[in-house]
Amino acid sequence: MHDYYLIRINFKGGIASPAEMKEILTAARRAQVESVRFGLRQQMLFYVPHNLGKAFGKAMESLGVDFQVDSNQYPNIVSSYVAEEVFQKGNWLTEGIYKDIQDTFEYRPQLKINISDADQSFSPFFSGHLNFIASPTPNFWYLYVRIPKSNQLVSFKRLVFSNEIAKVCQHLEEQLLVHEHTENKAIESLLENLPIAISAPIETELVPARFSLPYYEGFNRYGKKTWLGIYRRNESFSVDFLIKICALCQETKIGEICLTPFKSLIIKGIQETDRWKWSNVLSEFNINVRHAANELNWQVEDDSDEALSLKAAIVRGFDAIDLRTFGLCFGIKTRPRTEVYASIMLMKRSFKLFNLIPLYEVYDISYTEDFNPNGRTKKYFAQGVWRFNVGEQLRRCVLKYNNLIAENQIKAAGLKDDHKLDAIQSPSTKLVHQCPCCYTIYDKDFGDLLNDIPAGVPFENLPDSYTCPTCETNKDDFRVIEVEGSLV
């Protein structure tokens, strides 16, 4: 948007004061802002017209609110605070401890900092540069440093005390940004000489919670109270709606609004006697709060209509075939070096002639080891996929995951080498039909989602008018090849 400034406002740890958010939104509305979005790092994003930028800036200055214009130099501290009490409870980490840690930050970090409960999977562990994960020892944290502009992790050999986190972050940031350490050995040396007053030995290695995405929208009871999750399919929240939400928080004595890593909002602590008021606001602005789970388990890069459009098309395809996606988190990236948390990643890139001249756009599909979105080992499922074939390739990747889960469950039950295990295994080889031009494979076990061919239809029974879903090569040109028993 050339005639607009992109404004980013950080809410540290994803915790927003309703009073402060209301003041920000009121100033934004005066600057002709009608809607805002929220980012993966728990930020608020919106566009302000150039001619109103100066007035908006003065309004933010009078409120004492830091903001960024057309940049993300200060990428916000992300925390799993939103998960406490509603998705995770029972260990030593409380909402008060999160706030105490955040209060110790007296500078604006330029590196990405994540503060996470190890017993939850709603918030990412390793997407930051400095990643603190709660240990079993109260008030002590594991520290994992991710080298900037890389995917490499280096762990600190001791546990960090809660009150030391901000000081450790500031020291590491000064060293990493000024001296630009880029190798593991340099990071290890830096950690060995970390000026830290209180630390503890690591007695138990980190075992993060297995990924399980909670259903994070709608009205939900916990204890004697209710929490409300609000998700928007287009990621756009009306300013008028949000101002009304902030006012209702103030009226019902709710002191915070939580921003989630999935770009939704969660309001905790709703009294049962006040629930009807929240329901009325949702009705007034026609806000739906019961979307299908296979739409909620997605992360797309911030402020990307292209990625949202692609997500919508894929979700419709999954829904049409009733595909089981439980236990997975999907991500979409259309721009390089954007931060997305996912088990299965769809990434757009340019196909370049001689690795220099961009010719057309293709997609790579990758997944993390064991399909855990917190995993750092990436494997490619398919590369150079045409847009027309993305849905089918993603479906096959999902089936790979579902088969893996089934195999693991059978092994866990102690069933080995019997007919139950054989039932989910494919024969060693089989015959399929392959397009000679783009090498797309037609396998009757999967059918062809793009051409509305259900699984189980033999190639010989396809209509004569059938063409390759990728390049439209005629059916008669396909050739028979032998492949391993499972293509997924």
Side-chain angles (χ1 to χ4, degrees):
M1 295 188 175
H2 302 295
D3 298 328
Y4 293 80
Y5 295 113
L6 173 58
I7 306 298
R8 280 187 174 89
I9 297 177
N10 291 347
F11 292 97
K12 194 183 298 181
I15 307 170
S17 157
E20 181 184 44
M21 182 182 279
K22 183 180 176 183
E23 290 176 331
I24 292 171
L25 291 166
T26 300
R29 185 166 60 181
R30 286 198 296 266
Q32 298 180 1
V33 177
E34 296 181 354
S35 63
V36 305
R37 288 178 171 177
F38 297 99
L40 297 170
R41 293 200 66 82
Q42 299 166 316
Q43 299 168 301
M44 180 188 286
L45 297 82
F46 53 89
Y47 289 91
V48 169
H50 278 169
N51 63 319
L52 297 174
K54 186 175 292 186
F56 176 79
K58 288 182 178 179
M60 291 298 97
E61 185 178 354
S62 67
L63 293 173
V65 174
D66 291 326
F67 65 99
Q68 302 176 78
V69 181
D70 294 334
S71 75
N72 197 20
Q73 182 180 0
Y74 305 102
N76 201 22
I77 299 172
V78 164
S79 83
S80 58
Y81 175 91
V82 62
E84 293 305 316
E85 292 299 315
V86 296
F87 300 138
Q88 170 57 35
K89 56 185 176 180
N91 61 12
W92 60 266
L93 185 54
T94 64
E95 294 176 338
I97 292 176
Y98 280 106
K99 291 179 178 178
D100 289 343
I101 292 172
Q102 290 159 16
D103 287 342
T104 61
F105 279 85
E106 297 178 350
Y107 76 106
R108 297 179 72 190
Q110 295 184 57
L111 291 182
K112 296 175 181 177
I113 299 170
N114 287 21
I115 301 174
S116 306
D117 185 342
D119 294 334
Q120 59 81 46
S121 57
F122 190 50
S123 179
F125 293 144
F126 303 118
S127 63
H129 297 118
L130 308 177
N131 303 281
F132 295 87
I133 303 170
S135 78
T137 306
N139 265 307
F140 283 90
W141 303 74
Y142 300 99
L143 167 59
Y144 289 82
V145 178
R146 178 168 63 87
I147 301 173
K149 301 180 182 179
S150 83
N151 202 36
Q152 302 176 58
L153 284 175
V154 180
S155 62
F156 182 43
K157 303 308 180 184
R158 293 181 66 81
L159 300 175
V160 180
F161 185 59
S162 292
N163 289 352
E164 297 277 327
I165 288 178
K167 183 176 71 175
V168 166
C169 288
Q170 188 166 13
H171 174 79
L172 289 175
E173 180 165 307
E174 290 171 355
Q175 298 298 313
L176 291 171
L177 292 181
V178 174
H179 299 293
E180 296 185 351
H181 296 280
T182 57
E183 298 180 356
N184 282 18
K185 289 184 178 179
I187 299 294
E188 290 171 358
S189 176
L190 180 60
L191 291 174
E192 287 174 3
N193 298 288
L194 200 61
I196 183 169
I198 306 175
S199 64
I202 296 177
E203 298 179 354
T204 305
E205 291 300 318
L206 172 65
V207 182
R210 182 166 182 82
F211 177 76
S212 178
L213 185 67
Y215 193 88
Y216 57 86
E217 71 163 352
F219 288 101
N220 302 270
R221 293 291 300 272
Y222 70 111
K224 295 181 179 180
K225 296 182 180 180
T226 295
W227 63 267
L228 169 63
I230 306 172
Y231 156 87
R232 301 298 290 150
R233 178 173 285 163
N234 60 0
E235 297 181 358
S236 179
F237 290 76
S238 157
V239 168
D240 289 341
F241 168 68
L242 290 178
I243 289 176
K244 198 71 170 283
I245 286 292
C246 291
L248 186 51
C249 282
Q250 293 177 293
E251 177 189 334
T252 57
K253 295 180 173 55
I254 292 175
E256 61 198 23
I257 297 173
C258 295
L259 283 58
T260 83
F262 285 82
K263 305 182 183 179
S264 61
L265 301 179
I266 285 182
I267 296 99
K268 304 179 186 179
I270 298 174
Q271 299 290 342
E272 191 63 29
T273 54
D274 294 327
R275 178 168 168 166
W276 67 272
K277 297 178 182 179
W278 293 91
S279 184
N280 280 358
V281 172
L282 297 177
S283 298
E284 178 184 347
F285 289 89
N286 192 32
I287 305 295
N288 180 25
V289 290
R290 282 298 172 191
H291 295 86
N294 69 353
E295 180 176 350
L296 298 177
N297 59 349
W298 286 78
Q299 280 209 339
V300 303
E301 60 197 1
D302 288 346
D303 195 35
S304 176
D305 290 330
E306 178 185 359
L308 282 174
S309 176
L310 184 55
K311 169 195 168 180
I314 295 170
V315 169
R316 285 195 300 270
F318 283 1
D319 186 60
I321 60 174
D322 202 18
L323 184 67
R324 176 183 171 83
T325 60
F326 178 79
L328 289 170
C329 174
F330 300 88
I332 297 180
K333 297 170 67 171
T334 65
R335 302 186 294 260
R337 298 202 178 281
T338 53
E339 174 187 327
V340 177
Y341 171 62
S343 314
I344 299 176
M345 183 73 69
L346 178 64
M347 183 167 62
K348 187 180 83 169
R349 64 176 171 87
S350 295
F351 181 86
K352 297 180 179 179
L353 182 65
F354 307 122
N355 208 30
L356 294 172
I357 306 171
L359 292 181
Y360 48 82
E361 305 296 337
V362 294
Y363 295 84
D364 296 333
I365 298 172
S366 62
Y367 60 96
T368 56
E369 192 170 15
D370 295 330
F371 290 89
N372 186 334
N374 284 308
R376 307 309 298 173
T377 302
K378 181 174 71 173
K379 297 181 179 181
Y380 281 99
F381 180 81
Q383 294 179 272
V385 179
W386 290 81
R387 169 65 185 88
F388 304 106
N389 205 26
V390 162
E392 174 61 18
Q393 292 300 325
L394 281 174
R395 183 181 75 91
R396 295 185 181 200
C397 193
V398 172
L399 293 180
K400 178 183 179 71
Y401 166 77
N402 288 340
N403 284 345
L404 176 66
I405 293 300
E407 290 175 3
N408 289 342
Q409 289 175 341
I410 287 178
K411 290 177 181 177
L415 303 174
K416 297 181 180 179
D417 299 326
D418 63 7
H419 67 283
K420 292 184 179 179
L421 183 58
D422 292 339
I424 65 168
Q425 293 178 332
S426 302
S428 57
T429 62
K430 64 178 175 181
L431 298 179
V432 297
H433 291 75
Q434 185 180 61
C435 172
C437 299
C438 68
Y439 305 111
T440 295
I441 287 176
Y442 179 85
D443 181 349
K444 70 175 183 179
D445 291 341
F446 302 107
D448 182 345
L449 180 64
L450 293 174
N451 281 320
D452 296 323
I453 307 296
V457 178
F459 185 80
E460 295 76 14
N461 292 358
L462 297 178
D464 294 338
S465 59
Y466 176 81
T467 60
C468 172
T470 303
C471 66
E472 299 186 345
T473 294
N474 292 330
K475 173 186 174 183
D476 291 342
D477 294 327
F478 276 63
R479 59 193 179 196
V480 178
I481 63 169
E482 187 176 64
V483 297
E484 293 183 2
S486 175
L487 290 178
V488 299

